[in-house]
Every structure is written in structure tokens, then in C-alpha cells.
Amino acid sequence: VTTNQPHRQTGKARRVTLADVAERAGVSAQLVSLVMRGRPGASPANRERVLQVARELGYVPDARARVLRQERTNLLGVMFHLQQPFHADLVEGIYAAADAAGYEVVLSAVTDTRREDRAIETLLAERCEALILLGPGTPTRQLVELAARLPVTVVARGIADPAIDVVRTADAKGIQLAVDHLAGLGHSRIAHVDGGDAPGAAQRRKGYRDAMRRHGLTDFIQVVPGGLKDDDGARATRQLLDSPHPPTGILAFNDRCATGVLDALYRARLVVPDDVSVVGFDDTHVAAFSHVDLTTVRQDAAVMARLAVDQAVGRLDADLGEAGHEAVVPPTLVVRGTTGTPPSPMN
Amino acid sequence: VTTNQPHRQTGKARRVTLADVAERAGVSAQLVSLVMRGRPGASPANRERVLQVARELGYVPDARARVLRQERTNLLGVMFHLQQPFHADLVEGIYAAADAAGYEVVLSAVTDTRREDRAIETLLAERCEALILLGPGTPTRQLVELAARLPVTVVARGIADPAIDVVRTADAKGIQLAVDHLAGLGHSRIAHVDGGDAPGAAQRRKGYRDAMRRHGLTDFIQVVPGGLKDDDGARATRQLLDSPHPPTGILAFNDRCATGVLDALYRARLVVPDDVSVVGFDDTHVAAFSHVDLTTVRQDAAVMARLAVDQAVGRLDADLGEAGHEAVVPPTLVVRGTTGTPPSPMN
DNA sequence: ATGAAAGCGCTAACAG
DNA sequence: CTGTTAGCGCTTTCAT
């Protein structure tokens, strides 16, 4: 039934409450509460009647009052970075997993003008029972303090503290896959444009060095300072091209960095993959863009999201004990069009 | 002060309340409330003392209880699509603008598994005073019903109903800029890969046709069915290349569609912009990726975000009257590397 | 400048 | 199956 009031109400318009529904339906408030939550304890006739009236009145239960009253809030707080495509994939998975576990998700974004501490504070104020932090840059010390208040799961960043649960990709393993792939194609001069102090960067550097050694390519190890953005990749690549023996293969810290690498190569009139092969990391949809067609190391967002929710819910519902849990998700290599055999097979 | 309890509390651990702070500080709860909100009415000594105790106890005010009690909630609900980069830009701007206007932002994402109606319902349950919906696909009829309950601002989709406020880019104007640009370079065969029934698609189609006529290119008008994704652009492009007189310029519905266009051209061994020029729409950071280097029509997310917040807040705080407001933001053309003079200047 | 009392909308615990 | 009572943590109103 459409209400025919003046169609713009003021912000102060009174909300339809549970009591309104009860009165109109001629039952107690308690009964309405049960019906709205889909709990047993109401006769079919009454249930039907209540739902009918609620619909008529446009009643929407007040989530805030509900949470205030309940012992448990069933709220999972998620902090994410708005400008990271990979976080969008994770949040999507978290919504699904939380739903399945019977939890609500409260989102709090980090932007240029809204820092992580602010985002976390909001989540605490909203009475979240546990926090899932995506790629936090907050110092470990502060995260540990936070974990003394409520369960904290960190995703996509390794934290070596037992107070905190972690879900991360096996970064070293991922970059090893990339090295194996290029070495298998016959590449020797394989360079790594790193991620500085970004989450996972240290592990990827180490994984790169180890893999190179395993392939007997110790002498060709070359790590240049990069970063998370395309500019970083482009800058690093120009530096690589200036060296006496430029690499025939480049492993970028992430996909975005890799696009910068591709651009710098392109501008230097080099052909990918004929002259130089390039591998990214993440498999964001940028990589899948057919125009970019980037060979990359794929992180499985859906699995990571589910594991993060499992850990948080596990702390809340079951008793996972005191020790911190670390879930390491194996990455996979997605071979696309930016990798091939090196120009001269024998160096 | 670090608490030295067993470091993982259970989910049922009691929260620190305002009353706890009051007791510990030896003052009334009311006084603590004033101090925490930074309102006048407390002596400097007491204020200092309360803040000190609050910090010691790790007290965080309960946003839900606060909202429940207050007449006004000062909450702005924002629905956005998690997988749309342009929405991320908008949300970022909305956070900033809301902050400046003294409002809190409640985020509700739309994903593959979480539909728009669910996202909106959550926002209502959270007691948001007004809603800002980014690129909603929800039928106009339902949006109008919603607007009978609370102020609704729709961003990036034109709604022709006075009940709803709208902020949108001047889509027709944007595509006209693109046509002007290509025509100015000497192009005649300029085709448009459209967006079907996506928000703004109809306006862009019309803008394209009008602009072509103005340039005396009526005979060259060619609209092919496209879509929002790169696959759509690639498919449409293959269709264009099959025609007897393929275009020398292609206007894609958006940046992502344009990357598909670029890919199809590339695979057909055509050189951009020497053989064909391509223009996108949105100026998402994909476009700015130096590797893609796409000439595109830029929508100003920051301005649109501020206008959306202004409209919502205007409805709440001031009285903007009953009429729906429509803010149309002028787009700008960003010329990059995918456009140039056509292969044969004449014809 | 400070305190006491009431109540926001809801659900938990109990009584019928 | 239904109704009553109390109270979640906070802010408002009124009194001091």
C-alpha cells in the first residue's frame, strides 16, 4: 500500500516502531519481535497478520536498538582500502562467508583523508565482536594492543605475533612459481622490481632470491626498488634498461606495478614478450583485461576471505585457544600473453 | 596502560561503559558524556581527569546507543558497487564531504551475492537519515517509494522523477567533446560502441548522434551494441571491422569497454592511433595507466561526491523544498595517446 | 558546573 | 502460544 503523504518527509519524521506494528496488529510487542526475527513461538495466523501489518506500515527493525539489547552483536568489522582492487575481491568474499556464518558485516574504508586508526575506531564504536583488517599498515604494536580487546584477523600482511590471526598468500611460493616459469622458458637474466616495505614485499624478495639460487642463477639476481603503483614500475624499468645487461624477464611486485613496467618497455620500443617477458602479482581484473593480458601470480581472494571469517568466527563461537593462527593460501600462476621464450636462448 | 590479562578475551567480555568511566573518575555519567562529545559544561580540571580515565580504561563510546538516544542520527547511507572503480572514487569523496558537514557515513556494498534491495534495507535498519545511491539498477518505481520515506540522492544515473535528487555527469556533453575532438582531427567515420541500458547510455547515444549531425557527419552515424565490459567492446569492434567501411574513430561507452576495443584492434593488426583512434569514458585509473594511455572523457568524482552530500544534507538541515534537484557536472576531455589524425585525411 | 531521572527501540527472562 | 517487566548505553530534560 502506497502512503499518500506529502512525499518528502522531514528528517525528523517519526520512525515506525515495533510497538506501532504490535498495536495495529492487536498483539504484544514481544510477539512482533519473534515474528520479525523468524523465531518460533507465534501461531501461523498471528505470524501472517504481523508480517502483513509490518509491510503495510513499512516497518524496518532498528538494527541499532537490537544490537544494543542483545548480549551478542553478531557484527564483524572489516577495514579495507578503497583504492585497492584486490580488497574489493576480498570484501565480496567476506560478505558471503559472514552471511553463511550468521554474522553481519560492518564496512569501514581507508582513504587518503581517512586513516586506518579512524577506520578502526569506528568499527569499535559500532560494537563489532571481531575485526578483519585488510592489508593494514598500522604498526604491529598497535595491532597487538587491539587484539587484547577483541579477536583480530589480518589479511594480506604477515604479522609475527601470536595475539593475531593471519591469512596470507604464500608470497615466496608465488614468486617462485614465476621464476620457475621464466627459467623453464630459458630465461637467465630475471630481475625483480620489488615492493619496498609493502605487505608481502620482504617475503617476495626472499622467495625470488631463493628460487634464483635453486636454478643456479645466483649471478643474475637483481632486485631494484619499485613500489605498488605503475609509476614505480616504470621508473624501476628505466633503471633496468640503463644497465649494461638488461634482463629478459621482469617480475613486478604487483599487477599495477607490472603495467608500469610494460609501459616503460613499450616506450623503449621493446616488444613483449619477444624482447622481454613480464609477470605481475594478484591477478586483479586489470591483469585479465585482454588488452593487457598479463601473466601473473593469482591470489585466491574467495578462499582468503572465507578463511578470515572462519578464524574470526572461530574465536567467537568456538574456542580456538590462545595461540595465533596463520592460514597460508597457495597462489597459482596464470600464464597469459606477456611471457615467452627469451630472445637468444643461450644468453 | 597495558592490561596484563590473558591476552585473548572472549567475545562476551564486558565493554567499558560511560558509567565505568564516571565511577572511576568520581563524577556523574552526564559529565562524562559532555566531555566525550567535546561539549562545553565541564571544568577544565574535570575534563582533563575524565579524558585521562577514559584513555586508561580504553573507553570507546557506543555509537549504537548514542544513535538510539539522539533525535537525529547524523547518518548518511551510501550504497555502492564494490567492483566499480568509479564508485570507489565517489565514496572517497563522500567520506570527505560528509565529514565536513558533520555526518557519519554508513557503507553498504552491492556484490554478486548481495543485491541492491538487501544493501538498501541494511541502510534503513541502521537509521540513516538520507541515502546516496551510486549507479543504482533498482527500478525507478521502487526508488520513488523509497524517497517517500527519506531523502534519496541518486548519483551517476538519470532519474526523471521529482521525488529524487540526482547528481550526474552531462553524458551527452561528454560524448560531444569526444566527437568534436575526433572531427577536429579530421575523422569522418566515427562510430559509437554504446552501453545498452546502462546508466547514462541513452544520453550518450543521443549526444553522439546530435554531435555527428552538427559536424555534418549524419551519413556516418553508426551505433553498435556494446556494454560495460571489455568483452563487449571487443565483440562490437570485431563487428565494426567486418563492415565494408570500418570507422577510423571509435567512441566506447566507458574505459573498460574501450580496453576491449583496443584489444580487438590490436589483434586485427591495426595500429592505434595511426589506423584507428579510440576514446573512452570515466577516466578511471585504468585509463591513466601509462600502458593503456587512453584518451577519455573524465567524470569528476570529487565534485559529484560533494554535490551528492550537499543535496542530502540540504534536505535534512535546510529546507530545499519539494522539487527534485538535478546537479549536472560538466565532464572534460583528457587527451592521451589513443587518438590522432585519421589515416587518409580526405574521405 | 554538576547530578538525577527518564526513555530511545528493542530483546531476554519470566509468568501466565 | 502470549503478555509483562526490566534494562542494554547513551543523551535529554530538568533540577540543583
Side-chain angles (χ1 to χ4, degrees):
Chain A
V1 172
T2 312
T3 50
N4 275 330
Q5 311 158 8
H7 84 235
R8 174 76 65 204
Q9 296 182 4
T10 126
K12 282 150 221 140
R14 212 174 79 71
R15 251 179 105 79
V16 177
T17 83
L18 183 146
D20 297 332
V21 177
E23 185 186 11
R24 181 79 168 269
V27 298
S28 72
Q30 162 58 0
L31 219 219
V32 178
S33 173
L34 288 179
V35 172
M36 293 313 294
R37 283 177 294 155
R39 306 284 282 255
S43 66
N46 263 336
R47 180 175 300 272
E48 191 49 47
R49 168 139 185 72
V50 165
L51 288 173
Q52 159 82 19
V53 171
R55 219 175 304 119
E56 268 177 32
L57 263 39
Y59 170 66
V60 179
D62 186 323
R64 295 185 177 256
R66 178 176 282 179
V67 159
L68 183 60
R69 189 58 182 90
Q70 283 167 334
E71 191 68 12
R72 297 281 311 266
T73 68
N74 271 267
L75 256 27
L76 243 39
V78 176
M79 180 193 84
F80 71 108
H81 290 243
L82 210 35
Q83 294 295 356
Q84 291 234 244
F86 187 60
H87 287 193
D89 296 345
L90 287 170
V91 170
E92 180 144 7
I94 288 171
Y95 263 120
D99 206 45
Y103 282 78
E104 290 284 323
V105 169
V106 180
L107 251 35
S108 190
V110 177
T111 73
D112 280 348
T113 58
R114 193 171 189 268
R115 295 192 337 216
E116 293 193 359
D117 49 1
R118 173 90 187 275
I120 290 173
E121 187 135 352
T122 304
L123 260 17
L124 291 177
E126 293 287 344
R127 301 190 81 163
C128 294
E129 294 191 289
L131 259 33
I132 297 178
L133 310 178
L134 308 187
T138 301
T140 301
R141 187 178 45 71
Q142 288 181 38
L143 294 177
V144 172
E145 274 178 31
L146 195 62
R149 305 178 67 131
L150 79 180
V152 173
T153 298
V154 164
V155 181
R157 178 177 162 211
I159 299 277
D161 192 291
I164 291 168
D165 290 335
V166 171
V167 176
R168 63 178 184 85
T169 294
D171 288 290
K173 181 68 193 306
I175 206 129
Q176 279 165 25
L177 289 175
V179 172
D180 291 351
H181 172 57
L182 290 186
L185 287 168
H187 291 264
S188 300
R189 293 187 201 290
I190 303 169
H192 176 40
V193 175
D194 82 354
D197 52 5
Q203 292 91 328
R204 291 181 202 175
R205 262 191 302 270
K206 180 170 189 321
Y208 161 76
R209 290 208 180 89
D210 290 349
M212 289 295 277
R213 278 189 213 104
R214 271 214 332 275
H215 284 280
L217 300 174
T218 311
D219 293 347
F220 298 107
I221 288 176
Q222 187 176 16
V223 178
V224 286
L228 294 94
K229 300 201 280 191
D230 40 335
D231 294 342
D232 301 318
R235 189 173 17 77
T237 302
R238 284 191 295 271
Q239 183 185 331
L240 282 171
L241 294 179
D242 278 347
S243 67
H245 296 285
T248 62
I250 299 179
L251 310 180
F253 175 68
N254 65 12
D255 288 349
R256 188 159 176 194
C257 176
T259 60
V261 171
L262 288 170
D263 178 63
L265 294 172
Y266 179 77
R267 288 183 198 272
R269 304 271 164 216
L270 290 166
V271 177
V272 175
D274 301 357
D275 297 319
V276 185
S277 289
V278 177
V279 183
F281 208 109
D282 278 354
D283 197 25
T284 49
H285 54 276
V286 178
F289 273 162
S290 40
H291 179 56
V292 178
D293 199 31
L294 180 70
T295 294
T296 191
V297 177
R298 162 170 245 261
Q299 303 198 60
D300 194 330
V303 167
M304 294 174 78
R306 198 175 45 68
L307 287 171
V309 170
D310 284 353
Q311 285 186 344
V313 170
R315 291 277 183 199
L316 262 18
D317 293 352
D319 194 358
L320 260 54
E322 297 294 316
H325 290 243
E326 183 176 44
V328 181
V329 180
T332 50
L333 185 74
V334 181
V335 177
R336 295 205 182 87
T338 57
T339 47
T341 52
S344 42
M346 301 278 57
N347 185 26
Chain B
V1 172
T2 312
T3 50
N4 275 329
Q5 311 159 7
H7 84 235
R8 174 77 65 204
Q9 294 183 4
T10 127
K12 283 150 220 139
R14 213 175 77 72
R15 250 179 105 81
V16 177
T17 82
L18 184 145
D20 297 331
V21 177
E23 186 185 10
R24 180 80 168 271
V27 297
S28 72
Q30 160 58 2
L31 221 218
V32 177
S33 172
L34 289 180
V35 172
M36 292 314 292
R37 283 177 293 155
R39 306 283 281 255
S43 65
N46 263 336
R47 180 174 300 271
E48 190 50 45
R49 171 142 184 68
V50 166
L51 288 174
Q52 159 82 18
V53 170
R55 219 174 304 120
E56 268 178 32
L57 263 40
Y59 170 65
V60 179
D62 186 323
R64 299 192 170 251
R66 177 175 283 180
V67 159
L68 182 60
R69 189 58 183 90
Q70 283 166 336
E71 190 69 10
R72 297 281 310 269
T73 69
N74 272 267
L75 255 29
L76 244 39
V78 176
M79 180 194 84
F80 71 109
H81 291 244
L82 210 35
Q83 293 294 357
Q84 292 235 243
F86 187 60
H87 287 192
D89 296 345
L90 287 171
V91 171
E92 180 144 8
I94 288 170
Y95 262 120
D99 206 44
Y103 281 78
E104 290 284 322
V105 168
V106 180
L107 250 36
S108 191
V110 177
T111 73
D112 280 348
T113 58
R114 194 169 188 268
R115 295 193 336 220
E116 292 192 0
D117 49 1
R118 173 91 188 275
I120 290 173
E121 186 133 355
T122 304
L123 260 16
L124 291 177
E126 293 287 344
R127 303 191 80 162
C128 294
E129 294 190 288
L131 258 33
I132 297 178
L133 309 178
L134 308 187
T138 301
T140 302
R141 186 179 45 72
Q142 288 181 39
L143 294 178
V144 171
E145 273 178 33
L146 196 62
R149 305 177 66 130
L150 79 180
V152 173
T153 298
V154 165
V155 181
R157 178 178 162 210
I159 300 276
D161 191 291
I164 292 169
D165 291 334
V166 171
V167 175
R168 63 177 184 86
T169 293
D171 287 290
K173 181 68 193 305
I175 206 127
Q176 279 165 25
L177 289 175
V179 173
D180 292 350
H181 171 57
L182 290 185
L185 287 169
H187 290 265
S188 299
R189 296 187 199 290
I190 302 169
H192 176 41
V193 175
D194 82 352
D197 52 4
Q203 292 90 327
R204 291 181 202 175
R205 263 191 302 271
K206 182 171 187 319
Y208 161 76
R209 290 208 180 87
D210 290 349
M212 289 295 278
R213 280 189 212 101
R214 272 216 330 276
H215 284 280
L217 300 174
T218 310
D219 293 346
F220 298 108
I221 288 175
Q222 187 176 16
V223 178
V224 286
L228 294 93
K229 300 201 280 190
D230 40 335
D231 294 342
D232 301 318
R235 189 174 16 77
T237 302
R238 284 191 295 272
Q239 183 185 331
L240 282 171
L241 294 179
D242 278 347
S243 67
H245 296 286
T248 62
I250 300 179
L251 310 180
F253 175 68
N254 65 12
D255 288 347
R256 188 159 176 195
C257 176
T259 60
V261 171
L262 288 170
D263 180 62
L265 293 173
Y266 178 76
R267 288 183 199 271
R269 304 271 166 216
L270 289 166
V271 177
V272 175
D274 301 356
D275 298 319
V276 185
S277 288
V278 177
V279 182
F281 208 109
D282 278 354
D283 197 24
T284 49
H285 56 275
V286 178
F289 273 165
S290 37
H291 179 52
V292 178
D293 200 32
L294 180 70
T295 295
T296 191
V297 177
R298 160 169 246 262
Q299 304 198 59
D300 193 331
V303 167
M304 294 175 78
R306 198 173 47 67
L307 287 170
V309 171
D310 284 354
Q311 285 185 345
V313 170
R315 290 277 183 199
L316 262 16
D317 293 352
D319 194 358
L320 259 55
E322 297 295 315
H325 289 243
E326 185 176 43
V328 180
V329 180
T332 50
L333 184 74
V334 181
V335 178
R336 296 205 182 88
T338 57
T339 47
T341 52
S344 42
M346 300 278 64
N347 178 37

